[in-house]
Amino acid sequence: MMKYAKVVIDAVLNAGAIPAQDAAWDYLIPSDLAVMRGSCVIVPFGKREIDGFVIAVSDKSDVAPELLKPIHGLATDLVIKPELLDLMPQICDRFKLRPIDVLKLYLPSIIRTGKPKRNGKRRVPVSMALTDQQVVLNAEQQHCVDAVMAQPDNVYLLKGVTGSGKTEVYMHIIKKVLEAGKTALVLVPEIGLTPQVLANFKARFGNVVAMVHSKLGGGEKYDEWLRADQGEARIVIGARSAVFVPLQNLGAIIIDEEHDGSYQSDSNPRYLTHDIAIMRAQWHHCPVVLGSATPSVQSFYLAQQGEYKLLELTKRVNNVPLPKIELVDMGHEIRSGNGGIFGTEVLADLITTLRVGHSAMIFLNRRGYSQTVRCLQCGWSAKCENCDVSMVYHKDDEQLKCHYCAARMPFPSRCPHCGSTYIKHGAMGTQKICAELEKMLKQAALNVPVLRMDTDNTQTKGALVKILDEFAKTAPSVLVGTQMIAKGHHFPQVSLVIIVNADGGFVADYRSAERTFALLTQVAGRAGRAVGTTGKVYLQTYMPNHYVYKFIQNYDYLGFYQREITERQTTKYPPFTTIVRVLVSGTVDTKIINVIKEIMRPLRDYDKEYQNFIYLGAMKCPYGRLQNKYRYQILARIKQTVADETINYMHKCVKVVEELPMAHSVKIFFEINPASLS
Ligand code: ADP
Ligand code: ZN
Ligand code: ZN
């Protein structure tokens, strides 16, 4: 009997034509081709051959057989699992994505860019190295493991102070999951996916561990994906995109540092990892464990509402005390004649710490040497020619660089505008701290290595491991870095942490305080993690009375949360509203503006009729031009009770305009509670 396949095709057709990406097309299955639901196939489309995904197979078709073309072949032997196909419509609806966008997430990208080849690494026989480490959980930890195993069909929010042994809780849950013959998925923030984390899991569980992250080459990623697909790997550790890895028979999904912004994708396709994890877990009837020392306001709110079950670890392992956090008023330092990078007491303490043989970490969330360079004579400043941003000076290679595009220019010794040599450097970055610190330590006759870790010097393979290794085995030493140094690291010899400019995270975004609280608590948590030490943290600020710092200093998450949630209720921000942003970008700004107007028209009428919006407006984005593309946005804040229907209506309006010829030359992005509003 003839068999037919419904195929979602991977082709971008011109707007105005049939929205081909949304439809599934019928094809004949040749009798000699093993095509099933989930197969990735090559099909004829018009005069071309393109990739497609089979979402259904059946005995009949509504199209006359003589009009149907046969499938030409299989693109890969990998078959998308029924679970993931079942979830596709739900994911499409939640994030307003096209089926094709979701289907592509289900496969490693190499399948679409070339013929995937296994890496050919020698395979060691699969074995498990189960617990050799005899870590006995403390009572709080044990309670968490027991609670999760007793009622697996839940989402748990595990709130545990830094160093309270959350990872150990995850590992014990995973051990039980493996013993039950199931598999586990562990998600960590991209920059938290350190060699240390992987080594720990491998030491504990052996080579049933696979890892998936952006630094892997295409072949390597395909390898790890296959190992999970074929049941060879039973634990997958990965960053955001690993939430789609086709592990079968899932027994637990862990999201570590659940508050981290990297769980929300800010490029297409846009999705929130938590939601996908929860959908998968519901399908498998397994628990999701969201872990953090500083849960996102959103997640803690859901725990308060009873939607998530709250579990807590209130103490550090072995009762190691949390480090003492001291605020340093940098305004006062300046007024007393200290214009340096560090407060007077901070520098003195740093030197003492190093003298007694302990190490220190210095945090500044800005890479490069100095933020802006400006001519004192004529006011010229180095701006990127493609983006509305300043260029950053990198001393390593004497270049000015744009952090949003590839633009570079040599650092000018004279002002390119007036020729003056009075060039002033703006706010400093990690490179400058290192340079200045080396001078200071020399003056103090201290021969201590100063290491740096940021995205500039960790791009090449193995670079990150090298820095971390060197820091771990050299005490005393100093590690200067951006938020890369904040995540997850456990260096017992670090007793001092200096936060150079705590105020750096305050930007015009309703989540600024939340992010500052989380990041600085995380950074502070690197200090004093060994038994018998007391860590110390200096938090340098020009706003010593800011409420966020009081809460950080007192490790008062609840106090912070209460204040924040009350404020959001009053000012009507998420979780009490939903924010939708429609971002339109392109090379000709008049075209963008016309598209924006066209989308806005029905929305304004809708607003008049139903008043579902707390706010609805259109404007230039804060970064009005990036990579030579102009950017405009429609921003909407929607009352929570009517959020679903209003989002659906907004999306419909966008789809209508997207099909019009006027939208040909622009890109439209639809974002629900976007990670960034810039
Ligand atoms: P967190 O993830 O909460 O910051 P970690 O899981 O990194 O904390 O734990 C901190 C350290 O304490 C790790 O070195 C870990 O191996 C150790 N640890 C965790 N639980 C225990 C325990 N029950 N007994 C002894 N050491 C433990
Ligand atoms: Zn000048
Ligand atoms: Zn640029």
Side-chain angles (χ1 to χ4, degrees):
M1 196 207 293
M2 201 52 109
K3 288 247 180 219
Y4 305 88
K6 283 213 177 301
V7 180
V8 173
I9 59 161
D10 187 7
V12 181
L13 299 189
N14 283 341
I18 316 159
Q21 302 98 316
D22 294 3
W25 302 70
D26 283 12
Y27 283 89
L28 292 170
I29 302 178
S31 55
D32 59 344
L33 207 59
V35 172
M36 58 181 114
R37 182 174 181 244
S39 288
C40 313
V41 291
I42 300 163
V43 293
F45 194 83
K47 289 196 175 66
R48 294 180 289 164
E49 259 196 344
I50 55 179
D51 288 351
F53 299 90
V54 177
I55 56 164
V57 169
S58 99
D59 298 335
K60 49 182 190 300
S61 165
D62 296 337
V63 185
E66 61 272 19
L67 295 179
L68 291 180
K69 293 179 181 169
I71 291 172
H72 281 179
L74 290 172
T76 167
D77 293 338
L78 270 181
V79 176
I80 297 171
K81 298 277 183 305
E83 173 222 341
L84 292 165
L85 286 174
D86 290 354
L87 292 177
M88 184 189 73
Q90 209 180 330
I91 296 174
C92 288
D93 185 55
R94 176 75 56 91
F95 302 106
K96 306 299 172 208
L97 298 175
R98 297 182 173 117
I100 188 66
D101 296 329
V102 176
L103 289 165
K104 282 157 87 171
L105 288 168
Y106 291 165
L107 293 171
S109 55
I110 190 166
I111 287 180
R112 285 170 279 119
T113 50
K115 282 281 140 236
K117 244 196 234 130
R118 293 199 74 160
N119 205 22
K121 259 189 297 185
R122 196 172 56 83
R123 312 235 137 237
V124 268
V126 175
S127 65
M128 275 198 269
L130 291 179
T131 89
D132 42 318
Q133 266 114 338
Q134 291 292 336
V135 178
V136 181
L137 296 185
N138 63 36
E140 281 189 334
Q141 287 173 313
Q142 190 62 51
H143 169 76
C144 293
V145 175
D146 293 345
V148 171
M149 296 321 290
Q151 283 190 302
D153 228 340
N154 276 317
V155 181
Y156 292 91
L157 179 61
L158 172 60
K159 176 176 173 290
V161 298
T162 56
S164 58
K166 292 185 288 293
T167 313
E168 205 57 54
V169 170
Y170 306 151
M171 284 182 166
H172 276 74
I173 291 171
I174 292 168
K175 178 171 170 279
K176 288 200 183 319
V177 162
L178 293 193
E179 282 167 358
K182 299 186 177 184
T183 64
L185 182 57
V186 183
L187 301 170
V188 297
E190 182 75 50
I191 53 176
L193 200 60
T194 61
Q196 219 176 4
V197 173
L198 295 170
N200 287 344
F201 272 87
K202 287 219 160 144
R204 187 70 59 93
F205 296 106
N207 52 21
V208 297
V209 181
M211 51 158 172
V212 174
H213 58 84
S214 64
K215 293 257 165 67
L216 287 184
E220 289 173 309
K221 193 165 178 187
Y222 182 69
D223 259 15
E224 297 297 81
W225 208 277
L226 264 188
R227 289 181 62 212
D229 188 74
Q230 295 170 359
E232 206 176 295
R234 298 180 57 206
I235 303 171
V236 169
I237 306 179
R240 183 176 66 216
S241 67
V243 76
F244 297 105
V245 169
L247 279 169
Q248 296 184 69
N249 206 2
L250 269 172
I253 303 179
I254 311 255
I255 303 187
D256 191 27
E257 313 287 4
E258 69 86 24
H259 63 277
D260 194 272
S262 72
Y263 286 121
Q264 185 154 27
S265 116
D266 58 2
S267 56
N268 275 2
R270 290 155 150 86
Y271 61 88
L272 178 62
T273 309
H274 297 49
D275 290 2
I276 310 270
I278 292 169
M279 288 178 200
R280 289 195 73 179
Q282 277 168 351
W283 199 94
H284 288 275
H285 299 286
C286 78
V288 175
V289 180
L290 308 171
S292 177
T294 51
S296 66
V297 168
Q298 172 78 17
S299 293
F300 202 74
Y301 176 75
L302 291 176
Q304 299 290 62
Q305 300 294 303
E307 208 155 306
Y308 298 167
K309 301 244 174 295
L310 185 65
L311 297 170
E312 289 195 75
L313 298 174
T314 56
K315 290 188 288 284
R316 276 187 158 184
V317 168
N318 294 324
N319 288 320
V320 171
L322 285 163
K324 189 170 162 24
I325 301 177
E326 214 161 285
L327 300 187
V328 183
D329 180 350
M330 292 309 277
H332 180 262
E333 292 287 330
I334 287 185
R335 289 191 294 278
S336 9
N338 173 18
I341 296 173
F342 303 111
T344 311
E345 185 195 333
V346 181
L347 183 60
D349 204 346
L350 173 63
I351 286 167
T352 314
T353 301
L354 298 173
R355 283 231 162 89
V356 298
H358 292 168
S359 294
M361 284 166 104
I362 299 181
F363 169 78
L364 178 69
N365 218 358
R366 196 184 299 122
R367 62 198 171 92
Y369 188 87
S370 63
Q371 188 69 358
T372 49
V373 292
R374 181 185 298 279
C375 169
L376 287 181
Q377 186 131 318
C378 75
W380 169 87
S381 76
K383 288 255 161 62
C384 175
E385 56 178 10
N386 307 318
C387 311
D388 286 347
V389 299
S390 299
M391 295 188 89
V392 177
Y393 173 43
H394 286 246
K395 203 178 170 73
D396 287 3
D397 40 10
E398 289 291 324
Q399 296 249 323
L400 292 170
K401 298 182 184 177
C402 171
H403 285 184
Y404 290 85
C405 75
R408 304 265 180 280
M409 64 182 267
F411 178 69
S413 50
R414 289 172 175 278
C415 168
H417 192 243
C418 74
S420 139
T421 51
Y422 293 102
I423 306 255
K424 185 179 158 46
H425 289 271
M428 67 188 156
T430 45
Q431 292 183 1
K432 178 156 185 191
I433 303 241
C434 289
E436 297 290 315
L437 194 61
E438 271 162 5
K439 281 188 229 159
M440 291 177 209
L441 296 181
K442 208 167 180 184
Q443 260 172 22
L446 266 169
N447 186 18
V448 169
V450 176
L451 308 170
R452 197 185 96 216
M453 188 162 97
D454 53 37
T455 42
D456 289 320
N457 68 351
T458 50
Q459 287 305 313
T460 56
K461 216 173 171 168
L464 178 77
V465 191
K466 214 169 142 230
I467 299 170
L468 288 173
D469 272 356
E470 194 173 343
F471 185 59
K473 66 171 201 267
T474 324
S477 58
V478 184
L479 180 64
V480 177
T482 54
Q483 56 178 328
M484 280 190 129
I485 67 168
K487 307 281 172 184
H489 306 296
H490 184 76
F491 297 113
Q493 77 273 25
V494 173
S495 67
L496 181 69
V497 165
I498 302 172
I499 295 164
V500 176
N501 173 23
D503 314 333
F506 285 101
V507 290
D509 187 307
Y510 71 98
R511 287 155 303 187
S512 272
E514 176 181 352
R515 287 177 181 156
T516 298
F517 184 88
L519 181 58
L520 299 189
T521 302
Q522 193 83 39
V523 177
R526 298 312 107 203
R529 289 169 74 97
V531 181
T533 62
T534 318
K536 179 85 167 268
V537 179
Y538 289 104
L539 190 157
Q540 301 193 149
T541 170
Y542 288 92
M543 307 186 288
N545 296 319
H546 197 292
Y547 70 89
V548 172
Y549 298 140
K550 290 282 176 272
F551 290 124
I552 292 174
Q553 194 174 24
N554 297 327
Y555 293 97
D556 186 5
Y557 176 84
L558 269 186
F560 171 74
Y561 170 80
Q562 286 303 351
R563 185 177 163 134
E564 196 64 25
I565 202 78
T566 310
E567 188 152 321
R568 295 212 193 161
Q569 189 154 28
T570 318
T571 54
K572 301 196 170 65
Y573 272 92
F576 302 99
T577 53
T578 296
I579 293 180
V580 171
R581 162 162 97 157
V582 181
L583 174 69
V584 186
S585 82
T587 44
V588 184
D589 66 346
T590 48
K591 288 191 178 168
I592 302 172
I593 293 167
N594 286 339
V595 167
I596 292 259
K597 279 185 183 156
E598 197 64 26
I599 301 171
M600 274 303 269
R601 227 167 357 106
L603 292 183
R604 292 219 198 275
D605 293 342
Y606 185 83
D607 188 26
K608 270 197 208 109
E609 190 165 349
Y610 299 104
Q611 283 135 33
N612 285 358
F613 295 106
I614 298 291
Y615 171 84
L616 175 70
M619 72 223 56
K620 201 171 188 177
C621 295
Y623 290 132
R625 198 174 50 117
L626 285 181
Q627 300 180 349
N628 233 343
K629 299 236 165 52
Y630 293 94
R631 306 164 82 243
Y632 288 77
Q633 63 188 12
I634 294 170
L635 269 187
R637 242 183 311 142
I638 307 166
K639 293 176 186 165
Q640 201 54 29
T641 47
V642 289
D644 286 349
E645 64 202 68
T646 312
I647 292 170
N648 286 342
Y649 185 76
M650 287 188 77
H651 187 242
K652 221 171 77 190
C653 295
V654 168
K655 296 283 280 186
V656 168
V657 176
E658 215 167 28
E659 300 299 334
L660 300 177
M662 70 185 302
H664 279 196
S665 55
V666 302
K667 280 217 157 85
I668 309 179
F669 306 98
F670 193 87
E671 303 178 300
I672 302 165
N673 284 337
S676 157
L677 294 171
S678 55

